[in-house]
Amino acid sequence: MLQKALLILLGVSISKAIRLISRSRNGNQPVAIAASSEDDVILTSPPATKYDVFLSFRGEDTRHNFASYLYKGLRNAGIHTFMDHELRKGESISPILQRTIGESEISVIIFSENYASSTWCLDELVHILECKRKFGRVVIPVFYNVDPSSIRKQNGNFGKGFDVLEQRFKDNPEALQKWRNALIQSTNLSGWDSHSTRPEFKLIEEIVKDILRKLNYTSSSHLEGLIGIARHVRNIQRLLIEARIVGIRGMGGAGKTTLAKAILQELKAQFDAFSFIENVKEQLKRISLDELQKNCLRELLKDEDISIYDIKTTFMKSRLQRKKILLILDDVDNSIVAADLTKVLDWFGEGSRIIITSRDMQVLKNASAASSTYHVPDLDFEGAFHLFNLKAFKRDEPSKGYMELSKSVVKYCHGNPLALVVLGCFLYGRQKEEWESALEKLNQSPPKDIVDVLKLSFDGLDDKQQNVFLDLAFLIKQGVHFL
């Protein structure tokens, strides 16, 4: 009976049934060393991002001090950072390292006294600036105990290393000029001067904050490519001004997790610590609630030695109260679990916030009496049509001759983002005849992925709701229409 109902209803029936049920139930800034726009022309789309930050540095100068401290600061802020921990051999930058630079959103160049004595570092610098020009990557220079003017003019102690290279490569003036140009160009970028921000730990703190701001800006621009999500992020940000706990509610596949992740990217720079606990419901099938809380505290406090016996001690409370924390609990389906997990907010420092996603309004109500709730609506037809086209055709509009077929699929999905994505990917690259055949078969035997999407919503209902759902399925099959 359940399988049959799911096959009959698909997107339209599920949306109508859930809507009817819902009605019945719920009545310091970087030192500007001059900004350059020269060569800031993006020539092609960038490769997929693998790292947030790539660190370029002279190992003998900074590996065991500043570079390592900065690396730790970035990792503690949740910034995925690449640091070459191997001692470099030979003079040429490896292809793997070149690819890693291209796959990093931001490159941080730590200029130190002996940086220009290394052909490896200089080739790395050239490639970093090439990725900036070609892909629009962000480059941040850090002038560590060196004067930017010494880099620009290749003089002083910094210039001594380059003088040696000039003798070694006197028969290769092209390479020398390439390195010289890269050094000059780097000093025209907005960066950080260690002589201007002291002590050193403060410099690292400010660099980390600057990188978080830049990553958030990049993330914000990426949000516009996710249908309607930027508007939802802004709406939830407004709720978080007043509410300490905000719930995100929506049917299965509506995009609650995607929205929560987007909010994390937008807001994490404003907090001392943050944690995203994904798929709480499924995690609690494998581990205990205490184990889940222990893992959360380890991430928030960057302390792998925390045990289950530590999680409710007064010392743990005092550690948490020193931090402004953002905690996101994704896919919570149990009211008792929600209430227990959100109690920890009283242990967090001033300005802390919790976001919780669920399909069940009652779970969100029990999380906190003072919470606000944001409902993620289905996509309107225009937004749904756009999303489907991006998946089915990899562009904003359908191919010639596919307009009416595309509209039929979009109507069929009834605004459910996950169903639109699954069907768009399913139909991508298929001929028109295959589309027609697939649409005919969908009402009888849809792909397993579509059934799984629909079952997400069904499984989110309690027993009484499921019975109502099946009754509605029967009525819809008999031709009864609901206003």
Side-chain angles (χ1 to χ4, degrees):
M1 176 70 173
L2 169 59
Q3 181 70 9
K4 186 175 181 180
L6 287 170
L7 296 178
I8 294 169
L9 291 173
L10 300 172
V12 176
S13 305
I14 268 199
S15 292
K16 288 182 178 178
I18 289 177
R19 285 195 185 92
L20 286 167
I21 293 167
S22 297
R23 283 195 209 118
S24 68
R25 292 192 64 198
N26 301 307
N28 242 348
Q29 293 295 318
V31 178
I33 320 265
S36 171
S37 59
E38 185 181 3
D39 294 334
D40 285 359
V41 179
I42 301 173
L43 300 181
T44 186
S45 58
T49 301
K50 185 176 181 180
Y51 294 95
D52 295 323
V53 172
F54 177 91
L55 289 183
S56 175
F57 60 96
R58 184 71 165 108
E60 67 180 56
D61 288 348
T62 62
R63 179 185 299 280
H64 301 299
N65 44 67
F66 183 80
S68 291
Y69 303 152
L70 178 57
Y71 175 76
K72 182 178 180 180
L74 292 167
R75 293 295 297 268
N76 285 346
I79 299 171
H80 191 30
T81 305
F82 179 87
M83 178 178 179
D84 186 2
H85 294 284
E86 300 295 326
L87 292 176
R88 299 168 178 184
K89 298 178 180 180
E91 294 188 344
S92 299
I93 179 175
S94 70
I96 295 176
L97 213 54
Q98 286 185 325
R99 185 169 66 249
T100 302
I101 292 169
E103 294 171 343
S104 301
E105 196 74 57
I106 296 175
S107 287
V108 177
I109 308 164
I110 304 173
F111 287 110
S112 55
E113 186 173 296
N114 295 299
Y115 189 92
S117 66
S118 167
T119 57
W120 185 299
C121 286
L122 291 173
D123 283 340
E124 200 170 82
L125 173 63
V126 169
H127 190 67
I128 287 171
L129 295 175
E130 180 69 9
C131 288
K132 177 182 185 297
R133 186 181 69 86
K134 290 174 60 178
F135 307 137
R137 297 305 196 196
V138 178
V139 180
I140 303 175
V142 178
F143 305 100
Y144 184 70
N145 294 332
V146 292
D147 194 308
S149 66
S150 296
I151 298 173
R152 186 182 301 115
K153 301 174 183 178
Q154 297 95 57
N155 62 12
N157 289 333
F158 182 87
K160 291 178 181 178
F162 198 79
D163 289 343
V164 174
L165 290 185
E166 285 187 312
Q167 294 301 315
R168 285 177 54 196
F169 290 88
K170 59 185 177 181
D171 295 328
N172 191 351
E174 293 84 3
L176 289 170
Q177 191 60 50
K178 179 178 62 176
W179 295 332
R180 186 178 289 108
N181 290 343
L183 290 169
I184 295 171
Q185 186 180 343
S186 299
T187 62
N188 291 329
L189 300 173
S190 179
W192 294 87
D193 189 340
S194 65
H195 296 120
S196 301
T197 306
R198 295 179 182 276
E200 196 166 289
F201 79 85
K202 184 65 176 177
L203 172 63
I204 290 174
E205 286 181 353
E206 294 301 320
I207 294 174
V208 171
K209 289 179 182 178
D210 181 37
I211 290 173
L212 280 171
R213 283 192 293 265
K214 287 179 167 62
L215 289 171
N216 286 334
Y217 177 82
T218 304
S219 175
S220 297
S221 64
H222 291 168
L223 285 183
E224 300 302 331
L226 300 173
I227 310 303
I229 200 169
R231 172 170 52 86
H232 296 315
V233 170
R234 290 192 295 269
N235 290 338
I236 293 173
Q237 284 180 293
R238 283 193 283 268
L239 291 177
L240 288 167
I241 294 173
E242 299 294 337
R244 301 174 68 207
I245 299 176
V246 169
I248 301 177
R249 181 174 69 94
M251 64 185 292
K256 300 181 297 297
T257 300
T258 302
L259 178 55
K261 288 179 177 179
I263 294 166
L264 176 65
Q265 292 301 317
E266 281 287 291
L267 299 182
K268 63 183 182 181
Q270 303 174 24
F271 294 84
D272 301 321
F274 53 85
S275 177
F276 187 101
I277 305 181
E278 192 164 6
N279 212 337
V280 171
K281 179 180 71 173
E282 292 300 319
Q283 285 203 56
L284 290 178
K285 291 179 181 179
R286 304 188 305 270
I287 62 175
S288 68
L289 184 58
D290 283 348
E291 190 79 15
L292 186 70
Q293 290 175 316
K294 179 200 73 177
N295 295 339
C296 175
L297 293 175
R298 284 182 171 184
E299 183 175 4
L300 289 173
L301 296 172
K302 307 300 177 186
D303 183 354
E304 291 298 319
D305 293 328
I306 293 174
S307 71
I308 288 177
Y309 306 104
D310 300 322
I311 62 178
K312 292 181 173 133
T313 63
T314 55
F315 179 61
M316 185 63 61
K317 181 177 181 179
S318 67
R319 292 179 70 183
L320 291 168
Q321 285 179 332
R322 301 185 191 114
K323 292 182 176 290
K324 179 182 176 184
I325 291 171
L326 174 62
L327 173 62
I328 300 181
L329 306 167
D330 172 57
D331 196 14
V332 182
D333 70 337
N334 184 291
S335 295
I336 296 174
V337 170
D340 203 10
L341 286 173
T342 53
K343 284 178 184 176
V344 74
L345 182 59
D346 293 330
W347 286 28
F348 293 171
E350 184 179 354
S352 295
R353 295 290 186 269
I354 291 179
I355 297 172
I356 180 170
T357 77
S358 180
R359 299 171 206 154
D360 191 334
M361 184 63 184
Q362 196 60 40
V363 169
L364 299 178
K365 286 181 178 179
N366 289 336
S368 173
S371 65
S372 294
T373 302
Y374 184 80
H375 175 66
V376 183
D378 294 339
L379 292 172
D380 59 18
F381 183 82
E382 182 180 355
F385 191 59
H386 186 196
L387 177 59
F388 176 74
N389 288 332
L390 290 176
K391 300 304 175 181
F393 304 102
K394 309 303 179 187
R395 58 186 187 184
D396 294 337
E397 296 290 335
S399 300
K400 185 178 180 180
Y402 286 80
M403 177 65 77
E404 294 306 316
L405 285 170
S406 298
K407 288 182 178 179
S408 296
V409 177
V410 172
K411 290 176 182 177
Y412 175 89
C413 293
H414 215 73
N416 186 288
L418 187 52
L420 288 160
V421 169
V422 170
L423 269 180
C425 294
F426 174 72
L427 293 170
Y428 171 65
R430 297 180 184 267
Q431 298 298 317
K432 189 174 180 180
E433 294 77 12
E434 294 178 281
W435 277 56
E436 293 170 344
S437 176
L439 283 171
E440 186 178 339
K441 293 177 180 177
L442 278 171
N443 286 314
Q444 303 167 2
S445 181
K448 181 179 181 299
D449 287 347
I450 292 294
V451 175
D452 290 343
V453 171
L454 302 178
K455 199 169 182 298
L456 279 174
S457 294
F458 186 86
D459 290 344
L461 306 177
D462 58 32
D463 291 342
K464 182 177 179 180
Q465 290 175 310
Q466 289 184 359
N467 288 330
V468 173
F469 176 87
L470 295 175
D471 290 340
L472 288 167
F474 175 78
L475 291 173
I476 291 171
K477 184 183 179 184
Q478 300 304 311
V480 178
H481 297 286
F482 300 96
L483 297 177

